[in-house]
Amino acid sequence: MKVDVKLNVILLMDNMYIDTFHDVDNISQSADGKIYTISAEGHNYIFRVTDGFKVYPFYDIPEFTFSHQRKKAIDFAVDKLMEELYAT
């Protein structure tokens, strides 16, 4: 089974949320650790750590997210039904 995994990045500046990059092609960090380069949608974005930027990569697995949301919806529906049954 092939699982589609997507690389994403959360970008902070001075510990405040700035943006989220989805479907990132590549993340690299300079040898001295002071510059991040994010490649996405054919563009390269450069962020300097000295300017307060922090980059937090994470993976999104749409198939897992969907199945988790589906399970959550089913659990919610069962809980609601049980509440209605026991309320009478």
Side-chain angles (χ1 to χ4, degrees), residues 12-76:
L12 302 181
M13 182 179 185
D14 296 330
N15 292 322
M16 293 183 65
Y17 173 80
I18 298 296
D19 201 358
T20 301
F21 289 84
H22 297 280
D23 297 330
V24 171
D25 298 319
N26 187 41
I27 303 169
S28 60
Q29 190 173 14
S30 63
D32 63 3
K34 293 183 180 180
I35 298 174
Y36 287 103
T37 303
I38 299 172
S39 301
E41 299 177 3
H43 300 283
N44 289 324
Y45 302 92
I46 298 172
F47 300 99
R48 298 181 191 286
V49 174
T50 55
D51 290 339
F53 287 103
K54 292 182 184 176
V55 171
Y56 294 96
F58 68 97
Y59 289 98
D60 181 25
I61 306 171
E63 200 170 294
F64 173 77
T65 303
F66 175 75
S67 64
H68 179 71
Q69 289 174 342
R70 182 175 167 201
K71 181 183 180 317
K72 198 172 177 181
I74 291 169
D75 289 347
F76 177 77

